[in-house]
Amino acid sequence: MDISPKLEAAINEQIGIEFSASHAYLSMSAYFERNAFDGFAQWMRLQSEEERVHAVKFYQYLIDRGGVVRLLAIEAPNWDFESVRSVFESSLAQEQSVTQHIYDLYKIAMDESDFATVSFLKWFVDEQVEEEKAVSDMIDKLKMAEGNPDSLLLLDRYALEQRASDASN
Ligand code: FEO
């Protein structure tokens, strides 16, 4: 069964959203590099790479289902931020928006009884829970560290260790 034109269009949009997220995370990483936060920079760099992997998963899925890939333009992301916390808050807002788009895709797939797409999307539904939790936890820690440079530097180190342990699992 070929994918419907409606799902094809929605998946093409999702490919664009994932590439935009990758672009935005790379820009956040550059901000942290400029400000000598090596751990936060690494966190965002790896997140950028993960988003690219997500985009390519959707891309490959669309090809496998006989759909036509139409890549969309990517807008320039924000490149300057007020604080470490504001970067992570932007990240959380971005992830929440991605989650909503995945839920919208899921609803279309359910309405069309396209169970292959429903099954494919389940991985993304679970992934979004993990991603939102990781960013929310970091925001909570950053709130506790507010006004304390030593704690902020410890969190920068923690971010580095956290991503290194994710990468080894
Ligand atoms: Fe691909 Fe962070 O969502």
Side-chain angles (χ1 to χ4, degrees):
M1 181 175 112
D2 275 352
I3 203 150
S4 73
K6 186 174 179 181
L7 260 181
E8 180 187 270
I11 291 177
N12 270 312
E13 189 187 348
Q14 191 65 34
I15 293 170
I17 288 167
E18 302 287 351
F19 275 129
S20 293
S22 174
H23 220 46
Y25 280 128
L26 195 58
S27 189
M28 291 175 192
S29 182
Y31 166 82
F32 285 134
E33 293 279 5
R34 285 200 300 283
N35 289 282
F37 285 118
D38 300 342
F40 296 136
Q42 176 73 352
W43 172 300
M44 293 301 171
R45 172 78 75 105
L46 290 176
Q47 196 58 42
S48 171
E49 286 166 16
E50 279 189 18
E51 300 304 345
R52 189 176 185 286
V53 170
H54 296 172
V56 173
K57 272 183 195 265
F58 278 107
Y59 164 97
Q60 190 61 50
Y61 180 72
L62 196 48
I63 289 174
D64 291 347
R65 290 293 308 279
V68 176
V69 170
R70 292 186 196 86
L71 295 180
L72 305 174
I74 298 174
E75 274 185 39
N78 193 8
W79 56 272
D80 202 11
F81 300 88
E82 269 177 32
S83 63
V84 172
R85 183 173 148 190
S86 76
V87 180
F88 278 89
E89 284 170 345
S90 295
S91 164
L92 182 59
Q94 182 170 285
E95 289 307 328
Q96 287 167 337
S97 166
V98 170
T99 300
Q100 188 56 57
H101 279 101
I102 286 171
Y103 288 179
D104 291 347
L105 262 177
Y106 201 101
K107 272 186 231 149
I108 299 171
M110 288 293 284
D111 288 349
E112 295 187 357
S113 300
D114 185 333
F115 300 115
T117 300
V118 169
S119 173
F120 169 75
L121 289 171
K122 279 186 179 152
W123 183 88
F124 287 94
V125 170
D126 295 342
E127 175 75 3
Q128 285 308 115
V129 172
E130 275 184 31
E131 292 202 347
E132 284 192 29
K133 181 181 185 323
V135 181
S136 289
D137 286 354
M138 181 57 84
I139 291 170
D140 288 344
K141 289 179 173 60
L142 287 166
K143 284 179 186 165
M144 287 186 260
E146 209 113 84
N148 185 337
D150 288 347
S151 298
L152 197 55
L153 288 174
L154 276 176
L155 276 181
D156 183 52
R157 170 69 63 87
Y158 166 82
L160 196 60
E161 288 164 0
Q162 192 75 358
R163 293 315 301 232
S165 95
D166 286 354
S168 66
N169 286 331

